[in-house]
């Protein structure tokens, strides 16, 4: 039977589900609104749709290694409490197995991976419905290594931060693990300053130059000295952002570059995920919330 726009509108208003989901539900239930509501609830779509506007900035990251492949992914929840329950941790385990087996190239590709219980997207929707909070699969990264390279991986506090490092020149797993801990704790953006994009370097150079021009103490200094000061300021800015220039966390007087040299090792690449990084958390104002409720 033909499904009308009015029926879709009514079902959307009752459930908060998306238009296409409502149309599909009505088609499956031959236009019966009540049955369509139940159909959406059974699929977990009605409940999860109403939670789409909430901010999920808690949750966990995960790093896992199998052979020459390492994967990192992040799943968010609304509260830290939920990320510790057995159902959420079971979801993380299922996703880990599926992602390692399929090596998705993007988050969208990951969401379409088929598991024994449906796609990963289906699992996320069902988790949202049964756990009672908005659950979201945020991102994924797949890292491959060569046979003569090794992985170092580390998860901090069960997954608040996850890091993986590809190292070559050594077979010492402790060296690789310590480098992953360095990445997790010190959050570098690049391996070395050679990786910093030229436009980023130029932007920082111009910023430091403007600050120097505004500093009266710089006015009397020779041009040659000013050039050296400018270079020093730019280098200092990028020092903490580049892994090789950082102080080694176990030996603060030693740079990571020296630690690598002492162990005849080299960092090829690294990836670091921190739960909720970059997500703007909503600031709740209790007084405003109460006032809004009283006005209804």
């Amino acid at each position: 039977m033909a499904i009308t726009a009015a029926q879709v509108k009514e079902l959307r208003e009752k459930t908060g589900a998306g238009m296409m989901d409502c149309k599909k539900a009505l088609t499956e239930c031959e236009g019966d609104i009540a049955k369509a509501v139940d159909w959406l609830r059974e699929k977990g779509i009605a409940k999860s749709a109403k939670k789409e506007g909430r901010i999920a900035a808690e949750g966990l990251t995960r790093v896992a290694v199998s052979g020459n492949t390492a994967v990192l992914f992040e799943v968010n929840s609304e509260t830290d409490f939920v990320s510790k329950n057995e159902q959420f941790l079971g979801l993380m385990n299922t996703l880990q197995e599926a992602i390692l087996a399929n090596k998705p190239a993007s988050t969208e590709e990951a969401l379409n991976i088929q598991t024994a219980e449906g796609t990963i997207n289906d699992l996320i929707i069902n988790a949202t419905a049964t756990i009672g909070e908005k659950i979201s699969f945020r991102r994924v990264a797949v890292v491959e290594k060569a046979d003569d390279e090794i992985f170092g991986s580390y998860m901090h506090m069960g997954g608040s931060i996850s890091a993986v490092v590809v190292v070559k020149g050594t077979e010492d797993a402790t060296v690789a693990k310590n480098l992953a801990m360095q990445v997790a704790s010190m959050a570098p953006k690049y391996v070395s300053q050679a990786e910093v994009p030229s436009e980023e370097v130029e932007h920082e150079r111009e910023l430091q130059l403007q600050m120097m021009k505004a500093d009266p103490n710089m006015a009397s200094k020779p041009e040659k000295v000013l050039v050296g000061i400018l270079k020093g300021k730019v280098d200092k800015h990028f020092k903490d952002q580049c892994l090789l220039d950082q102080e080694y966390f176990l030996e603060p007087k030693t740079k990571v570059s020296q630690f690598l040299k002492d162990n005849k090792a080299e960092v090829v690449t690294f990836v670091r995920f921190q739960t909720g990084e970059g997500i703007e958390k909503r600031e709740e104002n209790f007084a405003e919330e109460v006032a809004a409720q009283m006005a209804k």
Side-chain angles (χ1 to χ4, degrees), residues 14 23 25-26 60-61 78-79 89 93 98 113 121 124 135 140 146 154 168 171 177 182 196 215 222 271 284 289:
K14 287 180 177 292
K23 185 175 181 180
L26 287 164
L60 291 174
T61 64
E78 294 180 54
T79 65
L89 294 175
N93 293 337
I113 291 174
N121 190 55
I124 296 297
I135 307 298
V140 64
Y154 174 69
K168 67 179 182 180
E171 295 182 359
K177 173 71 174 294
Q182 174 81 25
V196 182
D215 186 350
V271 179
E284 301 290 352
E289 183 178 335

Side-chain angles (χ1 to χ4, degrees), residues 68-289:
N68 284 350
T69 301
V71 298
L72 294 93
F73 61 94
E74 178 181 356
V75 180
N76 297 125
S77 59
E78 294 180 54
T79 65
D80 180 58
F81 177 77
V82 160
S83 67
K84 294 179 173 65
N85 77 34
E86 291 185 9
Q87 186 177 350
F88 190 93
L89 294 175
L91 173 66
M92 295 293 288
N93 293 337
T94 299
L95 298 185
Q96 174 181 314
E97 184 178 339
I99 292 169
L100 270 173
N102 290 273
K103 304 178 185 180
S106 65
T107 301
E108 182 180 2
E109 191 174 312
L111 287 169
N112 288 316
I113 291 174
Q114 288 287 342
T115 74
E117 304 168 57
T119 66
I120 284 182
N121 190 55
D122 292 334
L123 297 182
I124 296 297
I125 291 173
N126 291 337
T128 296
T130 56
I131 290 175
E133 283 193 8
K134 179 181 179 182
I135 307 298
S136 60
F137 184 89
R138 186 184 182 196
R139 53 181 169 166
V140 64
V142 177
V143 182
E144 301 283 0
K145 74 171 185 65
D147 289 337
D148 62 346
E149 298 169 342
I150 62 174
F151 283 126
S153 63
Y154 174 69
M155 287 198 304
H156 182 64
M157 294 181 65
S160 62
I161 302 172
S162 293
V164 65
V165 180
V166 178
V167 181
K168 67 179 182 180
T170 181
E171 295 182 359
D172 191 334
T174 300
V175 170
K177 173 71 174 294
N178 287 351
L179 287 167
M181 293 177 71
Q182 174 81 25
V183 169
S185 62
M186 302 304 292
K189 291 176 62 178
Y190 309 102
V191 173
S192 69
Q193 292 200 29
E195 290 185 356
V196 182
S198 58
E199 58 270 21
E200 190 172 338
V201 175
E202 188 55 38
H203 174 79
E204 183 60 28
R205 182 180 288 113
E206 183 60 30
L207 182 63
Q208 293 291 345
L209 182 60
Q210 294 304 316
M211 289 191 289
M212 287 172 62
K213 287 180 178 179
D215 186 350
N217 295 323
M218 296 290 174
S220 60
K221 296 186 183 296
E223 183 67 24
K224 186 176 181 180
V225 173
L226 290 173
V227 170
I229 292 174
L230 178 60
K231 183 179 184 305
K233 286 180 176 293
V234 173
D235 288 346
K236 183 179 179 180
H237 172 77
F238 288 111
K239 176 182 176 182
D240 289 338
Q241 297 186 28
C242 297
L243 178 61
L244 300 186
D245 293 331
Q246 290 181 342
E247 293 182 347
Y248 179 45
F249 78 109
L250 290 179
E251 299 174 22
K253 294 183 179 180
T254 302
K255 283 191 173 183
V256 171
S257 57
Q258 185 61 49
F259 170 73
L260 287 165
K261 184 177 180 181
D262 292 344
N263 288 278
K264 299 179 181 179
E266 179 181 342
V267 172
V268 178
T269 190
F270 67 83
V271 179
R272 177 186 187 273
F273 281 1
Q274 181 169 345
T275 302
E277 61 186 339
I279 298 176
E280 184 176 351
K281 297 184 180 181
R282 180 183 293 128
E283 294 185 5
E284 301 290 352
N285 185 310
F286 183 70
E288 289 181 0
E289 183 178 335

